[in-house]
Amino acid sequence: MARTQQDYDDIPGTFVFDAERSRQGFGINMFCMSLMKDENRKAFKANEAEYLKKFRLTPEQTEAVLKRDYNRMLELGGNIYFTAKLGATDGHSFQHLAAVMTGASQQDYAAMMLGGGRSVEGNRSRSGKPVKAKSASTSKAKPKSKSKSKSKSKSKSKSSAKRK
């Protein structure tokens, strides 16, 4: 099933882990979570392709795992915190994975993070579209009567006094 396009899908190098990606990546994330157990890590390392058959992965997800294409795993619904368990199974630190995913060396990645992270310049939405604002008809709240407002603040004061 094709992914529904979202306003935030055009942020360079970013795959937002939203509800749709969560559903899409259920199998890949459950596979990664299985690697928390030593016996599963051993079984996976003994025969990776066979072990992956236990999970309902798409052929694209299976390929991404076998190739250790972390960016593709994220695109296909993997969650960074779950996919990091695969990296740990291979003996890699999170810093190593992040560097690989950004195309930097570990040293350059660490320096960038210590320097405040990646610049937002060139890393914003390509379309430049502002976040959708509510329409005028839905954003206008009905005015509240003053008596209701006063009674609410009185009840807050009473409950606050009880707590003291």
Side-chain angles (χ1 to χ4, degrees), residues 12 25 47 56 58 71 97 103 113:
N47 189 336
R56 294 182 178 163
T58 66
N71 285 327
L97 297 177
M113 295 309 290

Side-chain angles (χ1 to χ4, degrees), residues 10-163:
D10 70 346
I11 301 169
T14 301
F15 302 108
V16 176
F17 188 72
D18 58 11
E20 191 170 354
R21 277 215 168 83
S22 175
R23 287 186 294 277
Q24 177 189 18
F26 182 80
I28 200 168
N29 292 317
M30 291 302 98
F31 151 68
C32 290
M33 289 301 292
S34 78
L35 298 175
M36 291 178 66
K37 294 184 178 180
D38 186 51
E39 64 267 19
N40 293 339
R41 290 190 298 273
K42 288 177 181 172
F44 173 66
K45 294 304 270 181
N47 189 336
E48 293 184 2
E50 190 62 32
Y51 185 83
L52 290 175
K53 290 179 182 177
K54 295 180 182 184
F55 303 89
R56 294 182 178 163
L57 304 181
T58 66
E60 294 84 7
Q61 290 171 328
T62 299
E63 180 181 12
V65 169
L66 293 174
K67 289 183 174 182
R68 304 304 196 265
D69 185 343
Y70 288 91
N71 285 327
R72 182 76 171 132
M73 285 187 250
L74 298 184
E75 183 180 7
L76 296 171
N79 178 291
I80 185 64
Y81 298 106
F82 296 160
T83 57
K85 294 181 184 343
L86 175 58
T89 297
D90 290 337
H92 299 300
S93 68
F94 194 85
Q95 180 177 314
H96 169 84
L97 297 177
V100 167
M101 293 170 71
T102 59
S105 70
Q106 283 191 64
Q107 185 177 6
D108 289 343
Y109 178 79
M112 175 188 66
M113 295 309 290
L114 290 170
R118 184 170 50 173
S119 167
V120 297
E121 294 308 315
N123 292 306
R124 293 189 175 141
S125 170
R126 290 183 185 113
S127 67
K129 287 190 263 180
V131 176
K132 290 182 181 176
K134 293 181 181 179
S135 66
S137 62
T138 60
S139 63
K140 289 182 181 177
K142 292 180 182 177
K144 295 181 180 180
S145 70
K146 289 183 181 180
S147 61
K148 279 187 178 181
S149 297
K150 286 180 182 178
S151 64
K152 282 185 182 180
S153 59
K154 283 181 184 176
S155 65
K156 284 182 186 176
S157 298
K158 287 178 186 176
S159 62
S160 295
K162 288 179 187 177
R163 280 185 250 146

